[in-house]
Amino acid sequence: MQTLTKSQLKRLAENIRTYRDKQFPERGGNNRLAKVIGVSPQTLSQWINGSRMPAIEKLQTLATVFGISIQALCGLPESAKPPRRLTKVQQGRLAAIDTMILLLTRQRDALLGKKDGGDMRKVFLAIKEKVEKEIT
């Protein structure tokens, strides 16, 4: 993870404070959160006032305790969304596309007397990628 700018560090501090207040709304929430993540209350206070940045391991622990990603905790845009699981029908469609690519490439090669599918294979694979993006 790259170093945060001052404004990002400030956003991180605000987010830690906000999520701490949601997770531990009662008095003494700072002490409870510090104990849960394994740091001193003074260290947590430094993170909350933005004078110190947590180590990556502690960012992960904070994110886990708060039930969010490190990117969300730091106020950074989320990475590409994780791929969703394909249904059996979608998996079947992708397998059919793979088969079509193979058969079309072989047929083209046979007509041209070539053994290398080359450019046509790239076109078919590009089509497959577009279909995969639409499905997922």
Side-chain angles (χ1 to χ4, degrees), residues 115-127:
K115 292 189 179 186
D116 177 24
D119 297 333
M120 189 57 102
R121 181 162 175 76
K122 289 178 187 174
V123 170
F124 293 144
L125 289 174
I127 292 169

Side-chain angles (χ1 to χ4, degrees), residues 28-110:
N30 233 31
N31 292 337
R32 290 198 53 218
L33 177 58
K35 187 173 183 176
V36 167
I37 58 176
V39 297
S40 70
Q42 294 79 11
T43 298
L44 181 59
S45 292
Q46 290 173 335
W47 298 346
I48 289 173
N49 68 31
S51 63
R52 187 171 169 194
M53 177 159 168
I56 188 71
E57 301 83 26
K58 294 303 178 184
L59 279 175
Q60 182 61 56
T61 303
L62 281 167
T64 301
V65 168
F66 296 146
I68 58 174
S69 68
I70 291 177
Q71 289 84 357
L73 182 61
C74 294
L76 300 171
E78 292 288 329
S79 325
K81 26 179 207 182
R84 63 185 172 103
R85 297 188 90 161
L86 299 178
T87 64
K88 292 211 181 269
V89 171
Q90 292 169 329
Q91 290 172 355
R93 288 178 182 161
L94 288 177
I97 290 169
D98 285 335
T99 303
M100 287 175 16
I101 289 171
L102 178 67
L103 293 174
L104 288 170
T105 303
R106 283 185 183 167
Q107 185 177 20
R108 177 187 177 275
D109 292 347

